[in-house]
Amino acid sequence: MRALVWLRDAVLSVTAVIGVVCVLLLGASFAFDVKSLVVVSGSMEPGIPTGSLILSRMTPASELAVGDVVTVPKRTGTDLVTHRVVEIAPVEGVPEGRELTLRGDANDVDDPYTYGVAVAGKHLLTIPGGGYVVSFFQSRDGMVATGAAILVVAVLLVGTRGETRQSVRRARRGTSLPDGAARLAVEAPDGGARPGEDARCASDDPELVESR
């Protein structure tokens, strides 16, 4: 019984933590335009290790400064790159646009081309290893594991609740008298016991009979 309760509490705690993190990320995404990204390369190590989860806030390019770590789209495809800003230049004819020169902290040279952007994801927070967790839960195996965890929690809740109810019933039976039995205490009007009498029928003198 105790093992089941411990397992139930452990699973509930882990599930609650994951749920709270997901809610916070979702809320931050809507309220503050914060994006969560998984780092898949080591170009920003050691500050941002491979497999980290990073949070970035979408920021106008005009508010960026040299030294900021930003996430911008690559020129080809839909992939993103997260590197440090080493140079900023205005874009002719586009007041809000900036041409960014970036470099990874682990790289010896700048990126081979610049990035013309109006907004960029400015780095806010790094959660080492968080990307592996997110990737797992987004995978097929992670979805299966999540479903199994939910099923286990449901079974444990039902099982431990049933055990608790049975324990309460057993405790009540242990403190109650057998069916049909009653203790009768008879006292004389002055508070003393009547000589020669242990008990009297309730119909004879109801006010002197106490059923416990």
Side-chain angles (χ1 to χ4, degrees):
M1 175 62 181
R2 290 183 179 179
L4 286 177
V5 172
W6 181 89
L7 180 59
R8 180 200 64 184
D9 292 343
V11 174
L12 286 176
S13 298
V14 172
T15 305
V17 170
I18 294 174
V20 168
V21 171
C22 291
V23 170
L24 290 176
L25 290 177
L26 185 61
S29 176
F30 283 105
F32 306 106
D33 203 11
V34 173
K35 308 297 182 184
S36 57
L37 303 167
V38 177
V39 178
V40 296
S41 73
S43 62
M44 285 298 292
E45 292 184 347
I48 305 178
T50 303
S52 297
L53 179 70
I54 61 173
L55 303 183
S56 300
R57 184 176 184 273
M58 300 308 295
T59 304
S62 59
E63 298 179 9
L64 298 176
V66 173
D68 289 339
V69 175
V70 297
T71 299
V72 295
K74 290 184 176 180
R75 283 190 174 182
T76 58
T78 58
D79 292 338
L80 301 173
V81 59
T82 299
H83 281 171
R84 193 175 301 277
V85 178
V86 294
E87 187 177 341
I88 302 176
V91 177
E92 185 176 354
V94 185
E96 68 277 10
R98 296 291 186 274
E99 201 76 25
L100 305 179
T101 301
L102 306 181
R103 180 192 295 184
D105 288 353
N107 297 339
D108 296 328
V109 297
D110 298 343
D111 292 359
Y113 49 79
T114 59
Y115 305 84
V117 296
V119 294
K122 184 176 180 180
H123 178 264
L124 297 176
L125 178 68
T126 299
I127 305 175
Y132 291 128
V133 177
V134 171
S135 298
F136 172 74
F137 282 106
Q138 290 178 342
S139 67
R140 180 178 178 181
D141 291 342
M143 293 180 182
V144 172
T146 301
I150 293 174
L151 180 61
V152 170
V153 169
V155 172
L156 290 175
L157 284 175
V158 173
T160 54
R161 184 175 298 176
E163 288 290 339
T164 301
R165 288 178 178 175
Q166 291 179 9
S167 298
V168 171
R169 290 172 183 170
R170 286 194 294 265
R172 288 178 177 175
R173 292 194 191 101
T175 57
S176 61
L177 294 173
D179 293 340
R183 295 180 180 177
L184 301 178
V186 182
E187 296 181 353
D190 58 357
R194 292 180 182 272
E197 288 188 279
D198 293 329
R200 298 178 60 193
C201 178
S203 60
D204 293 339
D205 200 352
E207 68 273 15
L208 299 179
V209 178
E210 180 181 358
S211 178
R212 299 180 181 173

